[in-house]
Amino acid sequence: MNKIEGKVIAGKAKPRGKYPHVKRAGDFLIVSGTSARRSDNTIAGAEADELGTTKLDIREQTRAVIENVREILKSAGANLEDIVEVTTYLVNMNDFAGYNEIYGQYFGYDGPARTTVAVHQLPHPHLLIEIRAMAYKPDE
């Protein structure tokens, strides 16, 4: 019997709206747009000095996002190898090379189908990237 259910994961950054971190729809797991935000609402790859000058690191944020996706999938009994499709949102396409470098450390040509698009902004000015993923993991 196919089931549809959503799940908010304890210990992860709380969604900024009323939606789940992950939704199971039969044999598919859909991971909501995930950022580098930590459970304490700090952002990996974002530093500010005492004057408020920020340093944002696309590589660190990309790694944190993929690790967040990994943890969300793990909570549903899946892993990165189960991902079949990824949509990545970048605030600046000049960050594509750094994003692509880190992404390539996790996925190869046999990895998920992928689309990368530029967006005007994300929900916090220090966020450079957000990833949405779909995994195929039969419910046993």
Side-chain angles (χ1 to χ4, degrees), residues 65-120:
V65 172
I66 294 172
E67 290 298 330
N68 281 339
V69 169
R70 179 197 307 268
E71 292 168 13
I72 290 167
L73 287 172
K74 184 178 178 184
S75 78
N79 57 50
L80 293 178
E81 292 76 25
D82 298 313
I83 298 175
V84 295
E85 188 269 335
V86 164
T87 303
T88 301
Y89 305 93
L90 294 177
V91 173
N92 188 334
M93 275 298 174
N94 289 331
D95 287 334
F96 185 83
Y99 149 69
N100 212 34
E101 174 190 325
I102 302 304
Y103 183 94
Q105 295 173 7
Y106 289 88
F107 303 104
Y109 287 108
D110 61 344
R114 182 180 93 175
T115 301
T116 304
V117 296
V119 295
H120 174 69

Side-chain angles (χ1 to χ4, degrees), residues 24-73:
R24 175 174 282 284
D27 291 338
F28 289 94
L29 294 165
I30 299 94
V31 178
S32 294
T34 301
S35 71
R37 196 163 54 99
R38 300 178 185 114
S39 60
D40 66 358
N41 281 321
T42 61
I43 298 170
E47 298 176 13
D49 65 18
E50 62 280 350
L51 299 175
T53 303
T54 58
K55 179 182 176 212
L56 306 177
D57 184 332
I58 188 61
R59 287 170 179 82
E60 189 176 341
Q61 284 198 23
T62 300
R63 187 176 315 283
V65 172
I66 294 172
E67 290 298 330
N68 281 339
V69 169
R70 179 197 307 268
E71 292 168 13
I72 290 167
L73 287 172

Side-chain angles (χ1 to χ4, degrees), residues 5-10 12-24 30-37 41 72 122-124 127 130-132:
E5 63 183 2
K7 186 176 183 183
V8 174
I9 313 303
K12 300 304 301 168
K14 184 178 177 187
R16 295 183 67 146
K18 291 188 176 183
Y19 58 87
H21 285 112
V22 61
K23 182 95 172 186
R24 175 174 282 284
I30 299 94
V31 178
S32 294
T34 301
S35 71
R37 196 163 54 99
N41 281 321
I72 290 167
L122 289 168
H124 190 283
L127 293 175
E130 182 172 288
I131 293 178
R132 174 203 176 274

